[in-house]
Amino acid sequence: MILNAGNILLIGSILLFISIVVGKAGFRFGVPALLLFLGVGMLFGTDGLGIEFNNPQTAQFIGVIALSIILFSGGMDTSAAEIKPVLGQGIVLATAGVMFTAFLTGYFIYYITNLENSFVTLNFTESLLLASVMSSTDSASVFSILRSKRQGLKENLRPMLELESGSNDPMAYMLTILLIGIIQSGESSLSNTILQFIMQMSIGAVSGYLLGRLAVYCINKLNINQSLYPVLLLAFVFFIFSFTDLVKGNGYLAVYLAGLVVGNHKVVHKKSLTTFFDGITWLFQIVMFLTLGLLVNPAELFPVAVLSILIGVFMIILARPISVFLCLLPFRKMTTKARAYVSWVGLRGAVPIIFATYPLIANIQHASLIFNVVFFITILSLVVQGTTVSFMAKLLGLSTPEERKNVFNVELPEEIKTAMSEIEVIPSMLAKGDKLMDLVLPDNTLVALIKKNDSYCVPKGKTKLHTGDKLLVITDDDEALMKTYESLGITDYSIQKNA
């Protein structure tokens, strides 16, 4: 089937619907939703139900838009206080880690493709290009899998992994563009490469920070219709990426840092902005993976299966762990188990596939081979690593209880200078009586709502409490409230606090 203006909306809506249903079903069985989105795209593609899509330029354009939104949203959801203790580890992994992975994998690819029985021969530059395309971990995969599974991790590993995956794309992008240029021109300049890298990273960092602050200022100062604030911020995302790219900076780094700035500053209607970006991030993740699934021809994956498996296993078992352990040598406080887990969660996803479209567009020799190998390895990574994120955390003793789910789904406006907490009634809370008036709470503290089974009620002093009831507590003194929780033996609670 050839897509045209008459049927693209119908087919697109069907694909979105099927992806959501399949993703929901896959989540129940522990299968990464992103892998299933790829599968849906492949099912409906040329070798499946017949949708013809063979336009790497369009796929790359969709990928750039999607990654801009995904990285910005990931930055918004990242707490600066959480990443501060792991800033050094994250930066080293995002730069040196990517380079080590690329060179180790590149040497391996060069070696196995120059054996006598190899069906394809790649020179060292081509081998290094293939390795560089897939040298970074994928932000969409890491953000999606860790957050959808609500996986709690010890040793501050989750913010480290998210920081690495959100900021390591620039290095892989630089290596990819550099090697394509070398293959096309046959020349390379180490000093020029280093200068270009420094410019891209520094301009991207400065642009992301300054434009992020500008976004915060405009959102807080412009008095517009509340529904337009998400649209305004979305416009800023696209402007930040494109402007940074225009001035020769790295747009991927810029949008991630801008998201960090916006997410860690007070902005009006922050809840609606966060909700909007959560939804649109999922939309573009689905669209991106569907597009990439449609772009590949599954029949072309079988001839590269053996080569892809060899490279994929080498990256998972050797290249990624060696790179991680080398990069984390200076950080002596990290345990060996933590380093092993970081090595395992080196997920590949949409980013390597998008980067693999650059050789296609540049008409590099063996570009189709590079694309198909990268696609195969992405599937392998999502199947092997993506499905075992929680299992490996438990195996290494790094798993913590799942993040507490927000039962009442209520958030305080930024203007209210107070704290809100959710707790579950335990027997020790009822020691002095089973009525709300008997509950020991600090001054200036109020139980605003109670959930009993599946029903909610506004409490009174004589309201009876039972073990398992959920309480929504509002207080002006969160420190006193936490001390009260400690004295009562309450450990499972959440607190939302406005500065």
Side-chain angles (χ1 to χ4, degrees), residues 38 198 322 457:
L38 272 178
I198 293 173
I322 291 172
C457 67

Side-chain angles (χ1 to χ4, degrees), residues 121-196:
T121 300
L122 300 179
N123 61 39
F124 181 68
T125 308
E126 291 168 339
S127 301
L128 197 55
L129 173 61
L130 172 54
S132 298
V133 164
M134 54 187 174
S135 58
S136 66
T137 57
D138 182 60
S139 55
S141 301
V142 173
F143 290 158
S144 173
I145 291 173
L146 287 180
R147 293 178 183 184
S148 65
K149 291 180 179 294
R150 298 196 300 275
Q151 178 62 58
L153 295 170
K154 298 177 182 178
E155 299 193 38
N156 224 11
L157 287 178
R158 180 165 151 174
M160 181 197 303
L161 290 166
E162 293 185 348
L163 173 62
E164 179 203 3
S165 66
S167 58
N168 66 3
D169 296 336
M171 175 61 82
Y173 174 79
M174 283 289 300
L175 291 173
T176 300
I177 298 302
L178 168 68
L179 290 165
I180 289 175
I182 292 174
I183 292 172
Q184 289 179 325
S185 65
E187 299 177 358
S188 64
S189 171
L190 181 61
S191 59
N192 185 57
T193 301
I194 295 174
L195 178 62
Q196 188 178 3

Side-chain angles (χ1 to χ4, degrees), residues 308-484:
S308 302
I309 291 172
L310 287 174
I311 298 172
V313 171
F314 177 83
M315 292 187 72
I316 294 171
I317 303 300
L318 288 175
R320 169 72 178 178
I322 291 172
S323 301
V324 168
F325 274 80
L326 283 175
C327 289
L328 297 180
L329 276 177
F331 306 97
R332 300 184 182 278
K333 291 184 178 180
M334 283 192 67
T335 64
T336 302
K337 290 183 177 181
R339 297 166 200 256
Y341 188 75
V342 174
S343 301
W344 185 254
V345 189
L347 292 163
R348 269 64 199 177
V351 172
I353 302 175
I354 292 168
F355 286 170
T357 62
Y358 285 87
L360 282 174
I361 295 171
N363 291 318
I364 299 295
Q365 187 180 13
H366 303 304
S368 295
L369 172 76
I370 291 173
F371 182 84
N372 290 326
V373 169
V374 170
F375 197 97
F376 196 106
I377 290 174
T378 295
I379 295 175
L380 180 68
S381 175
L382 289 173
V383 169
V384 175
Q385 296 168 291
T387 58
T388 55
V389 166
S390 297
F391 171 77
M392 290 299 291
K394 293 175 183 176
L395 182 66
L396 293 170
L398 297 169
S399 181
T400 59
E402 287 187 346
E403 295 178 354
R404 196 178 192 282
K405 189 176 180 181
N406 193 330
V407 174
F408 293 93
N409 197 26
V410 176
E411 292 190 17
L412 291 172
E414 292 283 339
E415 297 79 15
I416 299 179
K417 310 300 180 185
T418 186
M420 184 171 64
S421 174
E422 293 187 15
I423 57 172
E424 181 175 319
V425 175
I426 60 177
S428 62
M429 296 171 62
L430 307 178
K432 296 186 177 181
D434 62 356
K435 295 180 180 178
L436 182 60
M437 66 176 66
D438 301 321
L439 194 62
V440 177
L441 291 172
D443 295 335
N444 301 320
T445 300
L446 173 70
V447 176
L449 202 60
I450 298 178
K451 181 182 181 184
K452 293 178 173 290
N453 297 320
D454 294 326
S455 61
Y456 295 85
C457 67
V458 177
K460 299 178 181 178
K462 295 183 179 180
T463 300
K464 282 193 175 183
L465 300 177
H466 300 88
T467 301
D469 288 351
K470 310 294 191 305
L471 308 183
L472 179 65
V473 183
I474 297 176
T475 182
D476 286 339
D477 191 346
D478 57 290
E479 292 185 3
L481 183 62
M482 286 189 285
K483 288 180 181 178
T484 301

